[in-house]
Amino acid sequence: MYDLAIVGGGPAGAAAAVYAARKRLKTIFISAEWGGQSTVSTEIQNWIGTSTISGADLAKSLQKHVEAYAADIVTIVSPVYATSVTTHDDAVEITTSAGEIYHAKTLLIASGSKRRKLDVPGADTYDQKGLTYCATCDGPLFDGQDVAVVGGGNAAMETVLQLLAYCKSVTLLNRSEILRADEITIASALKHPHFHIIKNVRPTEIVGEKFVTGLRYKDIVTNAETLLPVTGVFVEIGLLPNTEWLGTAVDLSPNKHVVVDAKTQRTSHRRIWAAGDCTDGLYHQNNIAAGDAIKALEDIYLALRRNSSTSEV
């Protein structure tokens, strides 16, 4: 029986594992891979304490940090992923893709999310070669360039505002006449002379040579097809949280994010906490994920120690 099970090897899971080791919580750490979504980024400039780091190097750094503290406290099981969770009065039971079953008094869900991919010809070819899913990570690399943003929700409009700070022009492509972002954010973008909106269109192809040189789109009303010359394409069409394996163990939002208490990161189940991109938190970034996980670990530690003589948490 472990004190804690951590599922996920991104910034949230790694931060939690380091803190669990330092607090001497007997922990099982289950991870399909190290680094989370950022592994695909060629250059991350906002990981606090490091001016620039690649996604691959960030993953190695997280792994090295956890392994340095693991000793006989944190047992690392990787690369495997959790396939299901079952809750009991005195424990949580996690089954993995390797067929192993682990029991722990508490569980931290840090399984992250995956970007909804742009499914058009050229998207895979130019992924991280001008096409990106993270303006926070990659936006500054497009300083002085013409770029496009695909999407119409708050995330897309926030990306637009961020890119307008340094890009030559930003063009938003929206699939309908109506933007789903809030009016204040839309109004802020519309004030900028280098911002353009193209409505009622859908991307049909990403074109380029070594890197992206343009985005082809079709007008859904007229069927006319147009090539927009840009060197960057930022895709903001939603995130898909990695929460399928949870079943009904905890409350999920309509978008399948884990619902947490913002003060403690505790879920609807008293033995389960969650942190990072899999949660219903308002903002999702590497630094936020790590901070939320540490917050959760503090609460988990207190819950375990407060009831160390009983099976209660």
Side-chain angles (χ1 to χ4, degrees), residues 287-306:
N287 293 300
I288 294 171
D292 283 350
I294 293 167
K295 188 197 314 181
L297 249 293
E298 296 290 353
D299 201 57
I300 290 169
Y301 179 79
L302 288 177
L304 287 168
R305 291 296 173 258
R306 190 182 300 123

Side-chain angles (χ1 to χ4, degrees), residues 63-117:
Q63 181 178 1
K64 184 177 180 181
H65 198 171
V66 172
E67 290 175 346
Y69 281 91
D72 60 345
I73 302 298
V74 177
T75 300
I76 300 171
V77 180
S78 182
V80 298
Y81 56 90
T83 57
S84 67
V85 59
T86 304
T87 57
H88 303 283
D89 288 341
D90 59 347
V92 177
E93 178 183 300
I94 301 99
T95 303
T96 74
S97 56
E100 299 291 339
I101 297 175
Y102 299 98
H103 296 85
K105 297 175 185 176
T106 60
L107 166 64
L108 176 67
I109 304 163
S111 49
S113 66
K114 50 187 173 288
R115 297 275 181 177
R116 191 185 299 275
K117 295 286 187 175

Side-chain angles (χ1 to χ4, degrees), residues 103-157:
H103 296 85
K105 297 175 185 176
T106 60
L107 166 64
L108 176 67
I109 304 163
S111 49
S113 66
K114 50 187 173 288
R115 297 275 181 177
R116 191 185 299 275
K117 295 286 187 175
L118 184 63
D119 186 18
V120 300
D124 288 341
T125 302
Y126 294 103
D127 194 338
Q128 300 306 307
K129 296 178 181 178
L131 184 144
T132 177
Y133 293 84
C134 183
T136 303
C137 304
D138 302 326
L141 303 176
F142 294 83
D143 187 15
Q145 300 180 43
D146 297 307
V147 302
V149 176
V150 179
N154 280 321
M157 292 305 302

Side-chain angles (χ1 to χ4, degrees), residues 14 41 58 72 92 125-126 154 168 217 222 225 234 278-279 291:
S41 296
L58 174 61
D72 60 345
V92 177
T125 302
Y126 294 103
N154 280 321
K168 182 180 178 182
Y217 64 87
T222 66
E225 198 160 340
F234 292 80
C278 65
T279 73

Side-chain angles (χ1 to χ4, degrees), residues 135 139 142-151 155-173 189-190 192-198 228-236:
F142 294 83
D143 187 15
Q145 300 180 43
D146 297 307
V147 302
V149 176
V150 179
M157 292 305 302
E158 288 164 7
T159 291
V160 166
L161 290 174
Q162 182 175 337
L163 294 174
L164 284 169
Y166 33 76
C167 290
K168 182 180 178 182
S169 72
V170 180
T171 301
L172 179 77
L173 280 71
L190 289 173
H192 203 289
H194 302 301
F195 172 57
H196 314 284
I197 300 178
I198 304 175
L228 178 68
V230 292
T231 53
V233 178
F234 292 80
V235 182
E236 287 289 357

